[in-house]
Amino acid sequence: MKSAVETLNPTRVRLTVEVPFEELKDSLDAAYKKINQQVTVKGFRKGKIPARVIDQRFGRGAVLEEAVNDALPKFYTDAVNEAEVDPLGQPEVDITELKDGETLNFTAEVDIRPSIEIPDFSGIEVEVDPVEVSDEDVDKAVEQLRERFASTSPVERAAADGDVVTIDLEAKVGGEVLEDGVASGVSYTIGSGELLDGIDDAVKGVEAGGEATFTSELKGGSAAGQEAEVTVKVTQVAQRELPELDDDFAQLASEFDTLDELKADSRKRLADSKQYDQATQAQERVLDKLLELVEVPVPEKLLADEVNTRKHNLEHHQLGQMGLDLAKYLEIQGKTEEEFETETREAAVKGIKTQFVLDELVKQEKLNVNQEELTEHLMRRAASSGMSPDQFAQAVVEQGQVPLLVGEVARGKALAVVVEKATVKDTNGEIVDLSDDEEEAEAAEAAAETAVDDEAEEKADDKADDKAGEKTEG
């Protein structure tokens, strides 16, 4: 086999491959064997039909097509390895010449991972929010905890802000009651904003046994997005009673004996949370600065696929779960379709560039991922997915996603290298030292994952030889 490579642009090449016919022998033998198992010819036992009879009955062309489809992935892979290119996704294969007994010639155009030069990044400087916890922050946290331990007791008066009402609901569209528009015994805290727009004004001032009607746009169900006439009947009004802020409350709501100890713990938790947020902010801003320093060509087809994937996931998964379509989502966001397209494309470009740059850094810094790091990352991903670690690990293995997780950890480590050499200051002018931050690795992985979309990564890691076979079928 002979091959040559032609660079079409920084992210795409054309491979030209010439294969002597004798190198198709194994694939031809396999093609005859496969056809033998699929057909029957009178006078011959199944699987024992001579090649010349198969050629006569079914055509030599069918045999050649089967053999080429079998052999092409190997020849393509050999050509890729010989050219020392890193293909991305699916090649476009064109058989330029196929002479029985003489030669097989084909070309394969494919996007490649571009060559990237990482400049000196030690001069990167970013500014982040300081880690400051005020008394007001602590009081708010304790008050939220207090709200969780509130009790309710029925009252014989009109409903007011903060009360918990038990209500029955009935929604009509066009004068007809919706099949999924009736609910009974719903508990609702007035002012929480957890139900329909307009319900707070409707129920305030209504006593148990009273009802009110209001108009609201439905957020979900069969008539999501439509205006509905909603009748709400109040069956009970209950007053929320908060526990006293004292040592007894601390013992009720926590493992601490005193309110002072509870507040001190709340302050520490808030500080830890803000420190993690600060680390994540630093990672994200350092990453943005790094991307500004590096020239990264983006393959157009990879970009188009990534944009389509992001739009599909938004429309068919995220918005679908919220009972919204894209038009309604854009209306809520106050964006035009053009603005949405631009933002989606920009996010996709950043995701692809991030992957390319951090992967190059992984190679440049010779970074490896050990089992402990991979396990810790898997545990975090499992927690965020709502699955148990065992379930998540099984799903990852079954779907062949282990290399993706390894890539995520490696990119996080690469970004951490950049952050360690960068100058990070808070808005007070104080130097922020993240080198010994135990949460730095987790924050780096989170920052890298935010920019890199898994679907783009999956496309970039497709096995190109399988794709080459798919392109030649038929």
Side-chain angles (χ1 to χ4, degrees):
M1 185 197 83
K2 293 193 303 182
S3 67
V5 60
E6 175 188 358
T7 300
L8 304 178
N9 62 50
T11 63
R12 193 166 180 83
V13 297
R14 179 189 294 123
L15 300 168
T16 302
V17 185
E18 298 178 11
V19 182
F21 204 80
E22 56 266 23
E23 293 188 29
L24 285 172
K25 183 180 183 307
D26 289 344
S27 294
L28 280 169
D29 292 343
Y32 278 118
K33 184 175 182 180
K34 182 177 180 180
I35 294 173
N36 241 309
Q37 299 301 321
Q38 295 175 339
V39 302
T40 57
V41 175
K42 188 175 181 180
F44 297 95
R45 286 182 295 164
K46 194 175 185 67
K48 300 295 183 180
I49 308 169
R52 60 179 175 76
V53 175
I54 291 178
D55 289 346
Q56 292 169 356
R57 291 293 185 92
F58 306 102
R60 174 72 167 175
V63 179
L64 288 175
E65 181 180 350
E66 182 66 40
V68 169
N69 283 335
D70 176 73
L72 198 58
K74 176 185 180 300
F75 294 134
Y76 169 76
T77 300
D78 290 345
V80 164
N81 292 335
E82 187 175 302
E84 297 182 342
V85 294
D86 190 354
L88 300 173
Q90 179 173 318
E92 295 179 3
V93 176
D94 180 25
I95 298 175
T96 55
E97 186 175 23
L98 176 58
K99 288 186 178 180
D100 194 358
E102 295 183 25
T103 186
L104 162 67
N105 298 337
F106 70 91
T107 63
E109 287 191 18
V110 65
D111 286 334
I112 60 169
R113 189 179 292 266
S115 177
I116 298 173
E117 184 175 339
I118 307 293
D120 179 20
F121 47 77
S122 60
I124 290 178
E125 295 185 9
V126 297
E127 190 175 67
V128 295
D129 296 332
V131 176
E132 296 176 342
V133 180
S134 66
D135 291 342
E136 290 76 13
D137 293 332
V138 175
D139 290 343
K140 183 178 179 181
V142 173
E143 188 63 25
Q144 289 173 342
L145 182 61
R146 187 184 179 204
E147 291 277 350
R148 289 168 49 190
F149 284 86
S151 59
T152 59
S153 58
V155 292
E156 295 183 2
R157 59 166 173 77
D161 268 329
D163 285 344
V164 179
V165 290
T166 304
I167 54 177
D168 298 334
L169 295 165
E170 181 183 83
K172 294 181 181 179
V173 173
E176 297 292 329
V177 178
L178 298 171
E179 288 187 10
D180 56 354
V182 178
S184 300
V186 177
S187 180
Y188 175 67
T189 301
I190 300 175
S192 66
E194 295 174 351
L195 281 178
L196 299 168
D197 293 337
I199 193 170
D200 289 337
D201 291 336
V203 297
K204 278 191 291 189
V206 178
E207 298 183 16
E211 64 179 48
T213 300
F214 64 101
T215 301
S216 182
E217 183 178 298
L218 299 179
K219 297 179 180 180
S222 61
Q226 297 186 45
E227 290 287 329
E229 182 183 84
V230 182
T231 299
V232 54
K233 181 177 181 180
V234 178
T235 59
Q236 179 180 277
V237 178
Q239 179 176 290
R240 298 179 77 248
E241 297 176 351
L242 298 174
E244 290 294 327
L245 278 178
D246 53 23
D247 292 346
D248 289 339
F249 168 70
Q251 294 166 22
L252 170 69
S254 70
E255 70 272 28
F256 301 105
D257 294 326
T258 68
L259 183 60
D260 287 342
E261 290 175 331
L262 172 60
K263 287 185 175 182
D265 181 70
S266 296
R267 186 180 295 276
K268 181 181 182 303
R269 289 175 184 271
L270 289 170
D272 290 344
S273 176
K274 290 196 174 189
Q275 192 164 13
Y276 176 80
D277 290 344
Q278 185 190 64
T280 302
Q281 190 179 61
Q283 306 284 354
E284 293 171 348
R285 294 183 179 180
V286 167
L287 175 60
D288 289 340
K289 290 282 189 180
L290 176 64
L291 294 181
E292 290 175 7
L293 294 176
V294 187
E295 186 67 31
V296 185
V298 176
E300 279 301 319
K301 187 175 186 308
L302 182 66
L303 176 57
D305 289 346
E306 173 62 7
V307 168
N308 290 334
T309 296
R310 288 173 181 255
K311 290 167 63 176
H312 177 85
N313 288 342
L314 175 65
E315 292 186 61
H316 298 279
H317 297 290
Q318 300 171 41
L319 296 184
Q321 293 175 356
M322 294 168 14
L324 298 174
D325 58 17
L326 182 59
K328 189 62 183 176
Y329 168 76
L330 294 179
E331 180 184 332
I332 294 172
Q333 294 291 314
K335 295 177 184 176
T336 65
E337 189 169 342
E338 291 74 18
E339 290 171 333
F340 169 73
E341 292 283 348
T342 299
E343 289 180 4
T344 303
R345 182 180 175 86
E346 289 174 349
V349 167
K350 182 179 179 181
I352 294 171
K353 285 185 174 182
T354 297
Q355 178 183 327
F356 287 168
V357 170
L358 294 184
D359 283 349
E360 183 64 28
L361 270 170
V362 169
K363 290 192 294 184
Q364 181 176 299
E365 299 292 329
K366 296 181 173 57
L367 300 175
N368 295 309
V369 176
N370 60 43
Q371 186 61 48
E372 182 181 355
E373 291 167 335
L374 181 60
T375 300
E376 289 176 356
H377 182 63
L378 186 147
M379 298 281 282
R380 289 194 292 269
R381 287 290 302 269
S384 64
S385 71
M387 301 170 67
S388 72
D390 287 344
Q391 290 174 324
F392 187 80
Q394 182 178 352
V396 165
V397 172
E398 289 177 351
Q399 296 170 20
Q401 301 277 307
V402 173
L404 301 184
L405 292 189
V406 172
E408 290 172 359
V409 177
R411 280 189 283 275
K413 294 179 71 172
L415 182 53
V417 169
V418 183
V419 173
E420 187 174 349
K421 295 183 179 181
T423 300
V424 182
K425 295 182 180 180
D426 65 23
T427 53
N428 295 327
E430 298 292 328
I431 294 289
V432 177
D433 182 11
L434 298 173
S435 60
D436 296 325
D437 191 339
E438 293 181 359
E439 296 175 320
E440 182 192 4
E442 183 179 349
E445 289 169 21
E449 288 167 33
T450 298
V452 180
D453 184 89
D454 283 348
E455 291 295 332
E457 182 179 45
E458 189 171 347
K459 291 182 181 67
D461 289 333
D462 277 342
K463 290 187 178 179
D465 54 344
D466 290 339
K467 298 301 183 183
E470 293 172 8
K471 291 298 288 183
T472 60
E473 290 186 5

